[in-house]
Amino acid sequence: MMPKKTKFVIGSAFIVIAIGYLISMGISTTSQYFFTVDELMSQKVSYAGTGLKVKGNVVNGSIVRDSDNFLKINFSIEDKSSNLDVIYEGIIPDMFKDGQEVVVEGTLAKDGVFHANTLLTSCPSKYEAEKEAGKSHPGTLPNLDKYKDLNPKSTESLPKTKI
Amino acid sequence: MNDIGEFILLVALATALYGVVSYVMAINGNRIDLYLSADKTPVIVWGCVVIASIALWRAFLTDDFSLQYVWAYSNRELDTFYKVSSFWGGQKGSLLFWTLILTTYMTVVYFQNRKKNIRVMPYAMTIMLLIVIFFLFLLNFSTNPFERIPLPPEDGRGLNPLLQNYWMVIHPPTLYLGYVGFTVPFAFAMAALISKNLDDGWIRLTRKWTLLAWFFLCMGNLFGASWAYVELGWGGYWAWDPVENAAFMPLLVATAFLHSIQIQEKKDMMKVWNMSLVLLTFVMTIFGTFITRSGLIQSVHTFDEATLGYYFLGFLGVIISICVTMIILRLPLLKSKNELDSFLSRESSFLFNNLVLLGIGFATFWGTIFPIISEAVRGVKITVGPPFYNQVNVPIGLVLLALIGIGPVIAWKRATWSNLKKNFLMPVAAALIAAAVLFPIVPLKERAEIFTYITFILCVFVMTCILKEFFKGALARREQHGGTFIGEVASLTWHNKRRYGGYIVHIGVVLIFAGIAGSQAYGVHDQRHLKIGESIKLRNYTITYEKLNAVEATSVKTRVIAQIGVYRDNQRVWTGRPEKEFYKGQNQPVSEVDVLSTIVEDVYLILADFREDESATIKVYINPMVSWLWTGGWVIAFGTMVCMWPDRLEQRRRLSRMKKQEALFAPAQE
């Protein structure tokens, strides 16, 4: 008969090893490389076809909506010295706009275009950075250009609710 | 008033410093005069912080935009409701809020214990004051909420629309009450280590505090999940974001602690373990704060001031070194009197429960810091996302779930075969029946679906174990007292609050497991760009886009609302109204989702976008069993209340211990 303590040490070790195994398996099967655009472009290795996460800022004026498929967009993201073309299909986050910092997840095609299946915009709790960039104008209405020409006639004919 | 606020924070810091120095001198030199003077400082520090907080609130409520912080998080049009909660909307205010809660706790602890536990109090108060000093230092010299703008602007920038939600008023305070609450058991544990009073007196003293902190942290996490669900519009409630993990890890360690202290109380074992767990819980709260406030790890909601991260990193390093040193120094005094007897015993099930909880905690920790480690070791940043956490934590979680059923029922010391049969025959039978019934109903193709199937079976097993306990106890009582069955269940619980309160918490946990499993594996979603009158068909639902309403703006916001008819099996069941809101002073729209929630499933609608021709992109999620999650949360809340409810029996036990405690805290070195 083994001493009691040894038995428990073995039992616990078994659990710990099992958890360790799960963690290492999890890392090796689910991890993604995470680069900024510059880092990705300066890598000597080719990441074509691999799952990646890439961070960059949306190039001003690069957002093009597909005319047939409203959910599909093309845009470019840039860093200090390089940029990357991205194709994305799906819901476009509220904060997605020119200059916004975004993270895209997906694969890099052979032709260098990034096919994103996830588009994340950094959360708005970064007010401080915005303040420093002098972008905010207290008291002005948000930029509603995209929505401004929502047909005024038909809007007025719709029932209005006062809140 | 702003000057007063700024000044009083300095006074608070000076007082706290004085308090620490004089407490230490009083303890070492046995100077009663110094002790008496030191013993006023916790309350004075608290008073100062209260005044500073009032000053900041006043600035918010009077639209005093000469304060940079008020300007950044408020404007004239903001609801009073949100002006009050903007206090903790950003870095600086939330640190002040943290300090406010911390000093309030300190004061409550002070009045609660200053007569009863006079021997240990100087130590505990010194520890708490030292932690307060760290935060006051930050508030005074790094992130002062009373920082001025030389030329006060006309109006502020306003609160981020995502934060303009009633959860903003509930979630952060709840979370902070939990997070900060763990300082109290930490302080007493440290006090016990330093003063060498290493009996379980400190556990008895702080059990309810630990439970209270655990309760708030648990609720804080759930409220955060609710907020994410209704506000962020991605159809989910948990994303394994580093900041979410930051609040989840201390919860796991604290849960392990709450379980293993029962072994110490009953069996006088696992002293080093318990001490380590309570210290680790506190370390995890500071680590979480470090993650949240350093911006070191990419997250959706980090604060944006990197320098603060270094302070927290330093603080973390100091705390960990002290904890490790103290435990090593006191190792001889932390020897257990007993040892574990058998694998098949309640003690060992508690041990395994601890290992499993810490396993989930470690997997989460590892996933969270992996980008940093991989960058340091291999030079490339490698991240893991939800798939990692699901793949690793789901199997471990299932073991935990099984233990919830087994642990409380299995016999202490050594379970015999007949005893196992008596306790587990019915639950196992119930689980087998559930397995047979569910087998043809649920899909079993993917890994996630198989895990969900196992989860449901285990839920039935655990639920039967727990209900059997209630049933057995109530029947026994009824034979004695002859009341109604329900009445006996209630009085059973009332007379054994800790035990049955714990069972109620477990029921809540089972509901949460079921809710997570159901919503993760069987949810479906679809998104389409629709013209008016067009529909999306999903499962047995038809979702028809009916019209778009542009709603007259208030002075601060414009709303665009889609009207959507939801038909189940061709029967109209609901009219959903998801919307997009446009806030003044904010340059981005906010989606407001609309959810039809039933016990079976949620229909979750998002107006993702719309065009001039009134066509719109609608996204629909069918999320099964999400309401089970929230129900489970309320059940946990109720169960914890039962556990914490003042108990006359408990009080009598404590009174009889009082004399012992007197001896307990007699300083060992005198």
Side-chain angles (χ1 to χ4, degrees):
Chain A
M1 185 80 181
M2 256 187 282
K4 281 169 196 162
K5 216 167 182 176
T6 323
K7 231 166 59 174
F8 276 95
V9 170
I10 294 173
S12 309
F14 176 75
I15 296 182
V16 171
I17 290 168
I19 292 171
Y21 173 76
L22 278 171
I23 294 176
S24 66
M25 280 307 291
I27 295 268
S28 65
T29 56
T30 67
S31 59
Q32 283 179 315
Y33 291 101
F34 187 19
F35 297 119
T36 63
V37 181
D38 280 351
E39 281 166 356
L40 178 66
M41 294 305 170
S42 62
Q43 300 284 332
K44 289 177 188 76
V45 215
S46 162
Y47 286 99
T50 28
L52 295 172
K53 250 168 129 168
V54 185
K55 184 167 90 171
N57 296 312
V58 178
V59 177
N60 285 337
S62 73
I63 304 173
V64 179
R65 286 179 191 271
D66 192 302
S67 50
D68 299 326
N69 183 349
F70 194 76
L71 292 168
K72 200 168 170 185
I73 50 170
N74 294 306
F75 60 97
S76 302
I77 54 175
E78 62 180 352
D79 206 349
K80 286 180 206 81
S81 59
S82 38
N83 61 15
L84 176 71
D85 293 330
V86 183
I87 297 177
Y88 169 75
E89 186 174 344
I91 295 274
I92 292 135
D94 286 335
M95 291 181 59
F96 182 73
K97 57 177 188 275
D98 282 351
Q100 174 71 36
E101 184 183 283
V102 297
V103 176
V104 287
E105 276 178 61
T107 49
L108 190 60
K110 289 271 185 298
D111 58 2
V113 176
F114 194 85
H115 294 260
N117 47 39
T118 314
L119 171 59
L120 301 163
T121 49
S122 299
C123 210
S125 47
K126 298 194 171 180
Y127 315 95
E128 313 283 339
E130 221 183 328
K131 172 200 77 190
E132 277 152 27
K135 277 188 212 148
S136 70
H137 305 284
T140 57
L141 265 166
N143 177 13
L144 284 175
D145 287 348
K146 197 169 118 206
Y147 306 97
K148 216 156 46 184
D149 35 11
L150 173 75
N151 192 342
K153 262 177 258 158
S154 72
T155 316
E156 267 163 24
S157 64
L158 291 167
K160 285 181 178 176
T161 328
K162 182 89 180 169
I163 44 164
Chain B
M1 194 68 190
N2 296 337
D3 293 323
I4 296 176
E6 194 164 16
F7 176 69
I8 205 96
L9 281 177
L10 272 172
V11 176
L13 180 59
T15 314
L17 282 167
Y18 170 78
V20 167
V21 171
S22 39
Y23 267 131
V24 171
M25 284 170 65
I27 294 166
N28 288 331
N30 212 359
R31 297 254 315 262
I32 193 80
D33 54 331
L34 270 178
Y35 172 75
L36 288 175
S37 130
D39 213 30
K40 295 186 180 75
T41 53
V43 183
I44 297 173
V45 172
W46 173 69
C48 293
V49 175
V50 168
I51 293 170
S53 306
I54 291 171
L56 187 61
W57 261 312
R58 191 209 64 100
F60 269 110
L61 289 169
T62 57
D63 296 323
D64 183 351
F65 301 115
S66 66
L67 289 190
Q68 191 269 344
Y69 186 70
V70 176
W71 169 79
Y73 293 93
S74 180
N75 61 10
R76 293 187 188 281
E77 281 98 352
L78 197 67
D79 279 355
T80 310
F81 199 55
Y82 294 119
K83 279 183 183 166
V84 174
S85 64
S86 292
F87 186 100
W88 50 78
Q91 177 87 282
K92 296 169 175 173
S94 66
L95 276 178
L96 179 58
F97 188 58
W98 182 300
T99 315
L100 176 66
I101 294 177
L102 180 55
T103 49
T104 308
Y105 276 161
M106 179 170 72
T107 309
V108 175
V109 168
Y110 172 82
F111 283 113
Q112 213 178 29
N113 294 292
R114 87 197 145 118
K115 294 225 173 82
K116 278 188 287 181
N117 302 296
I118 192 160
R119 296 288 187 190
V120 81
M121 278 300 277
Y123 297 94
M125 282 295 118
T126 308
I127 305 290
M128 291 200 81
L129 279 172
L130 281 168
I131 297 163
V132 171
I133 285 171
F134 172 71
F135 283 96
L136 282 172
F137 174 81
L138 293 182
L139 284 171
N140 275 297
F141 304 114
S142 173
T143 54
N144 195 325
F146 296 100
E147 195 186 315
R148 297 320 138 71
I149 299 175
L151 281 169
E154 268 299 290
D155 201 356
R157 283 191 318 185
L159 186 65
N160 187 296
L162 290 175
L163 303 180
Q164 295 191 28
N165 183 295
Y166 57 96
W167 287 117
M168 174 65 185
V169 187
I170 308 168
H171 166 69
T174 316
L175 202 61
Y176 279 22
L177 282 170
Y179 241 70
V180 182
F182 288 117
T183 314
V184 179
F186 171 80
F188 277 99
M190 262 296 160
L193 278 172
I194 296 169
S195 67
K196 298 184 187 165
N197 290 301
L198 288 162
D199 218 320
D200 48 3
W202 66 273
I203 288 181
R204 298 222 160 94
L205 259 172
T206 56
R207 193 187 75 91
K208 284 208 172 153
W209 277 100
T210 315
L211 209 52
L212 186 79
W214 182 88
F215 167 74
F216 280 125
L217 190 56
C218 201
M219 291 299 119
N221 268 298
L222 276 160
F223 292 159
S226 306
W227 189 358
Y229 190 62
V230 299
E231 189 62 37
L232 298 183
W234 55 286
Y237 42 81
W238 188 263
W240 296 105
D241 183 84
V243 173
E244 291 170 357
N245 294 346
F248 184 53
M249 289 183 281
L251 184 67
L252 290 166
V253 185
T255 311
F257 175 70
L258 279 172
H259 286 89
S260 73
I261 50 174
Q262 298 179 38
I263 307 279
Q264 182 166 347
E265 284 177 302
K266 282 236 161 62
K267 296 268 159 179
D268 203 15
M269 285 192 300
M270 302 176 87
K271 284 184 174 176
V272 181
W273 183 256
N274 287 330
M275 189 55 88
S276 311
L277 284 183
V278 75
L279 304 185
L280 183 63
T281 308
F282 179 69
V283 166
M284 286 326 281
T285 64
I286 300 298
F287 173 72
T289 316
F290 161 64
I291 291 185
T292 320
R293 289 164 195 270
S294 64
L296 187 67
I297 295 167
Q298 184 82 21
S299 154
V300 291
H301 38 13
T302 44
F303 291 92
D304 207 49
E305 217 162 312
T307 48
L308 207 61
Y310 295 110
Y311 290 118
F312 274 101
L313 195 60
F315 189 50
L316 197 60
V318 170
I319 289 174
I320 293 175
S321 324
I322 293 175
C323 289
V324 172
T325 316
M326 282 315 295
I327 287 197
I328 293 173
L329 281 178
R330 297 292 183 257
L331 219 43
L333 295 171
L334 287 165
K335 276 236 173 68
S336 293
K337 292 201 184 90
N338 296 306
E339 61 174 28
L340 291 164
D341 268 317
S342 157
F343 260 141
L344 290 176
S345 67
R346 195 175 299 180
E347 292 93 319
S348 70
S349 85
F350 274 65
L351 175 72
F352 295 137
N353 126 317
N354 267 230
L355 287 176
V356 166
L357 281 164
L358 291 184
I360 300 173
F362 183 73
T364 310
F365 173 75
W366 194 248
T368 310
I369 61 161
F370 197 70
I372 303 171
I373 293 184
S374 71
E375 192 162 33
V377 175
R378 291 182 47 192
V380 277
K381 206 181 244 182
I382 298 173
T383 59
V384 294
F388 166 78
Y389 297 101
N390 293 337
Q391 192 173 327
V392 178
N393 285 344
V394 169
I396 315 177
L398 289 182
V399 177
L400 180 68
L401 179 59
L403 285 171
I404 296 174
I406 297 168
V409 184
I410 200 166
W412 287 103
K413 208 160 162 78
R414 186 185 290 273
T416 60
W417 176 241
S418 69
N419 173 302
L420 284 179
K421 214 164 77 180
K422 197 177 84 195
N423 287 328
F424 292 113
L425 191 63
M426 200 153 79
V428 169
L432 289 175
I433 293 170
V437 171
L438 286 173
F439 189 75
I441 303 174
V442 299
L444 284 169
K445 276 186 230 81
E446 287 164 31
R447 187 188 137 92
E449 290 169 345
I450 293 163
F451 272 114
T452 304
Y453 177 60
I454 300 171
T455 311
F456 286 153
I457 295 169
L458 282 176
C459 284
V460 171
F461 168 76
V462 177
M463 208 56 136
T464 319
C465 286
I466 300 170
L467 294 181
K468 196 167 155 264
E469 285 294 292
F470 277 99
F471 200 76
K472 209 171 66 185
L475 278 190
R477 281 191 76 89
R478 195 166 63 171
E479 258 167 45
Q480 278 182 351
H481 309 278
T484 62
F485 183 72
I486 298 292
E488 289 309 322
V489 168
S491 80
L492 176 76
T493 310
W494 185 251
H495 287 96
N496 305 275
K497 294 188 191 67
R498 268 182 78 171
R499 182 167 166 201
Y500 289 91
Y503 290 160
I504 295 171
V505 172
H506 285 175
I507 292 176
V509 175
V510 172
L511 291 176
I512 288 180
F513 264 95
I516 293 173
S519 60
Q520 293 294 322
Y522 305 125
V524 285
H525 59 89
D526 197 6
Q527 59 195 29
R528 295 273 166 78
H529 192 68
L530 302 174
K531 293 195 178 67
I532 284 177
E534 287 183 333
S535 304
I536 299 175
K537 283 199 196 315
L538 195 60
R539 291 255 165 91
N540 53 346
Y541 287 93
T542 307
I543 287 109
T544 307
Y545 172 48
E546 290 169 346
K547 61 183 163 190
L548 197 65
N549 286 8
V551 171
E552 204 158 274
T554 64
S555 56
V556 279
K557 80 179 172 187
T558 315
R559 303 160 74 198
V560 176
I561 308 172
Q563 181 183 312
I564 292 165
V566 174
Y567 298 81
R568 186 170 50 216
D569 304 320
N570 299 321
Q571 201 88 40
R572 191 183 180 96
V573 287
W574 181 53
T575 306
R577 290 191 176 83
E579 58 186 80
K580 269 238 187 302
E581 293 182 343
F582 302 88
Y583 283 80
K584 182 178 169 185
Q586 302 287 343
N587 46 8
Q588 107 230 7
V590 177
S591 300
E592 288 288 332
V593 305
D594 206 1
V595 187
L596 168 69
S597 190
T598 68
I599 189 168
V600 183
E601 59 203 356
D602 285 7
V603 179
Y604 185 104
L605 301 172
I606 307 162
L607 170 61
D609 213 336
F610 57 87
R611 273 185 168 177
E612 301 81 43
D613 63 358
E614 293 180 27
S615 62
T617 308
I618 307 291
K619 185 161 189 174
V620 189
Y621 286 89
I622 309 289
N623 291 330
M625 294 175 76
V626 173
S627 57
W628 291 50
L629 194 66
W630 316 135
T631 312
W634 294 118
V635 173
I636 289 180
F638 174 68
T640 322
M641 300 278 191
V642 172
C643 283
M644 286 192 293
W645 202 264
D647 193 321
R648 237 186 302 147
L649 205 68
E650 178 93 356
Q651 267 167 8
R652 218 175 302 146
R653 283 185 214 131
R654 196 188 295 161
L655 270 176
S656 75
R657 274 198 307 262
M658 279 283 280
K659 285 195 187 85
K660 256 197 265 169
Q661 248 174 36
E662 201 80 19
L664 188 73
F665 288 118
Q669 65 266 52
E670 267 178 33

